[in-house]
Amino acid sequence: DLAPGASHSSEPHEPGSEEYLLLISGTLELTLADETHCLQAGDAIRYQADRPHIYHNPSEKPARFQNIIYYGSAV
């Protein structure tokens, strides 16, 4: 869960890492380098997680999401 107006910055994970994110409810802005993706409830995205990424909830309601981190051959 990400509170209204809150942001969370994530450092890069190990090389080759991927994240899979499903937004269950609310609104979420996901910034990857210089690219921002605006997600609505029901949207899903897969991205390389071996670079900085930022989650931001621009709304006045909580954003609930599920994310899975795949570390590839690093595990």
Side-chain angles (χ1 to χ4, degrees):
D1 290 344
L2 196 58
S7 292
H8 173 75
S9 296
S10 182
E11 294 296 319
H13 301 295
E14 285 125 15
S17 298
E18 296 179 350
E19 284 196 35
Y20 301 79
L21 185 145
L22 169 64
L23 185 60
I24 298 166
S25 62
T27 302
L28 187 72
E29 292 177 347
L30 173 65
T31 302
L32 308 166
D34 59 351
E35 210 175 351
T36 298
H37 301 270
C38 298
L39 307 173
Q40 301 297 318
D43 288 345
I45 189 170
R46 178 187 79 154
Y47 53 94
Q48 295 302 122
D50 52 3
R51 55 188 171 158
H53 41 288
I54 302 169
Y55 309 99
H56 174 67
N57 179 356
S59 75
E60 296 179 7
K61 296 183 179 179
R64 173 166 277 183
F65 61 95
Q66 175 79 42
N67 76 332
I68 297 169
I69 303 171
Y70 172 73
Y71 292 101
S73 62
V75 179

